[in-house]
Amino acid sequence: MALLCAIVLSFLTVRSLADDLSVGFSPYDNDFIEPSYILGNNWNTTTVVAQEAIVQWADSLAAQGPWSVTTSKAFLAPSNNTHDYLSWAPYWWPNCSGVGNTTELTPQQIWVTCPYVPRDGEFNPDFRTVNNTGAFTAMSDAIFSNALAWAINGSSVYSANVANWINTWFLAPDTYMSPNLNYAQVVRGPGANTGTHTGVLDLKCMTKVVNAVLVLRTGKAPEWTDTIDTGLVNWTTTYIGWLTSNKIALEEAASANNHGTFYYNQLAALQILVNDLAGANATLHKYFSTLYQHQVLASGEQPFEAERTRPFHYRSYNLASMITNARLAAHIGFNAWNLTTSTGGSIKAAIDFTMTVPPKDEPASELFPSVGAGAAVYGDPQGKYAAFLSRSQEDYPSQPWFFWDQPLSDSGWVRTHATSSGTGTAAAPTSSAGTSKNAGARTRVLLDTPGELLLGVAIMILIHIFLFA
Ligand SMILES: *[C@@H]1O[C@H](CO)[C@@H](O)[C@H](O)[C@H]1NC(C)=O
Ligand SMILES: *[C@@H]1O[C@H](CO)[C@@H](O)[C@H](O)[C@H]1NC(C)=O
Ligand SMILES: *[C@@H]1O[C@H](CO)[C@@H](O)[C@H](O)[C@H]1NC(C)=O
Ligand SMILES: *[C@@H]1O[C@H](CO)[C@@H](O)[C@H](O)[C@H]1NC(C)=O
Ligand SMILES: *[C@@H]1O[C@H](CO)[C@@H](O)[C@H](O)[C@H]1NC(C)=O
Ligand SMILES: *[C@@H]1O[C@H](CO)[C@@H](O)[C@H](O)[C@H]1NC(C)=O
Ligand SMILES: *[C@@H]1O[C@H](CO)[C@@H](O)[C@H](O)[C@H]1NC(C)=O
Ligand SMILES: *[C@@H]1O[C@H](CO)[C@@H](O)[C@H](O)[C@H]1NC(C)=O
Ligand SMILES: *[C@@H]1O[C@H](CO)[C@@H](O)[C@H](O)[C@H]1NC(C)=O
């Protein structure tokens, strides 16, 4: 009896450890995962904890949807059209000192009366009063994680979520977004009535939306209907027209720093969505032969990010975006991973250099997915990347990105920490062609470590004796 209790208790103990480890996700700056990898369903058993984390991430974000530009808006765009995306420039602050007011101004008066001045890197918290930006960012992670969860778990709940949210944001008559960013990152103040080029960055995570659509489309999810696909392709065609001709969009395309890199993430992904692969290829060749040429020095330093107020964040941010461009390129048969810049830098040099930079008071974890990508793409024969990750965040194999940044060593973490979730095995998407080669992975992780199981049992027997003797 004691032994039985001990075994049951030891399972519960290990199980709750795994649950605790996989809570709390930060959104990724950007990424693109090869759809055939997601649908291939032939994942390393070391990724089982990351797979569970992705499903939990998908569930937690799903509880917040759906999202639309027509909600969460205390203010209309200057066009007065509720369908027009609106955001305020986040680093701009009111300067009311020359306005001549004799009493306090209300927020609404400040927004239209006081000239706004820039303070790089300092968020004006009231820019979230109009929260289309937060809504799109949350939705893009929800769509991305739910498409992954569909491939991992197989439930049509996840594919239906993706289809429903895309229909709400882009297509439904009451809630659609106009296919332009004419009013993104408006700098407030007297006479402000247009967006600014930095606002194009607000939709950088279109890349994740496209990634999800490719997974559902290629995997033939029944919930991803022809009607929604055709509607989204139509919307995207109009929006690509705006992105490639509007003055604001073209200014963003010419930005030397991360703004330019993210513009190319967005445009290339959308061209892939509408099946203009030659156009996407031309877009990515242009990025790697122009902006990229000046973005990384031979040392690996990124000069345009290093000069910013939060340099560790900006280095990590642009790095994620360069990696995303290389991943989009790889998807269409253009190998950009080893391309060098005009001064002899490369994506790999940028990864290696950023790993040596102390983050100081900035979050270190923003860099980790890019280090994982470095190991997966360039290999890690000396174990340098795995050692860095293990030193920085011991439980890195529990993070969603560990699922797709493969191959990458788990530094032995999964064998010593993971367990069966007891909820069955990873399965093929109900409608995909993939076979369930991954079946049984979750249980194998626990059962291949009999020594640890025995140790757990022994500890629980001791606890049992202590408590109940
Ligand atoms: C938007 O509505 C405001 C307030 O009704 C009005 O003053 C303004 O002229 C309108 N703008 C446009 C572009 O219709
Ligand atoms: C704020 O406005 C005052 C008065 O117009 C001006 O002298 C000052 O330079 C402005 N401050 C900034 C940071 O722009
Ligand atoms: C003018 O308005 C600003 C913003 O509300 C406020 O900080 C400032 O104190 C006001 N000036 C006077 C003289 O009340
Ligand atoms: C903006 O939207 C995001 C995503 O829905 C949400 O997490 C955040 O709390 C919102 N911010 C405000 C100030 O409403
Ligand atoms: C998918 O998730 C549901 C709900 O949590 C669960 O009941 C089911 O067993 C999972 N299926 C697989 C194959 O993991
Ligand atoms: C295509 O998109 C345009 C706006 O971009 C819209 O006016 C039109 O109704 C759409 N057509 C179809 C068939 O969805
Ligand atoms: C993209 O460009 C590469 C050359 O860099 C070429 O090999 C590949 O076939 C092109 N892909 C498409 C879809 O045009
Ligand atoms: C980069 O170049 C090295 C050396 O030529 C080669 O071994 C490696 O396969 C290349 N990596 C990629 C991702 O193409
Ligand atoms: C799984 O990943 C581990 C760690 O990188 C590696 O040693 C092992 O060979 C991989 N197994 C398979 C089947 O790919």
Side-chain angles (χ1 to χ4, degrees), residues 94-97 99-107 109-110 114:
N95 175 8
C96 302
S97 60
V99 169
N101 56 305
T102 50
T103 54
E104 289 272 323
L105 301 173
T106 64
Q109 289 169 328
I110 292 173
C114 304

Side-chain angles (χ1 to χ4, degrees), residues 128-151:
R128 287 285 190 218
T129 310
V130 173
N131 200 14
N132 288 180
T133 314
F136 186 80
T137 302
M139 183 184 73
S140 64
D141 277 316
I143 286 174
F144 181 69
S145 60
N146 274 260
L148 288 167
W150 174 69

Side-chain angles (χ1 to χ4, degrees), residues 284-303:
L284 291 163
H285 276 90
K286 182 165 178 206
Y287 166 74
F288 281 105
S289 61
T290 58
L291 298 190
Y292 173 70
Q293 287 298 312
H294 309 288
Q295 288 184 328
V296 190
L297 304 178
S299 64
E301 176 61 290
Q302 300 173 67

Side-chain angles (χ1 to χ4, degrees), residues 335-339 377-378:
N335 184 352
W337 290 111
N338 277 341
L339 293 180
V377 171
Y378 300 107

Side-chain angles (χ1 to χ4, degrees), residues 364-387:
S365 60
E366 190 175 355
L367 178 64
F368 302 162
S370 294
V371 175
V377 171
Y378 300 107
D380 193 14
Q382 269 79 53
K384 175 177 81 167
Y385 296 122

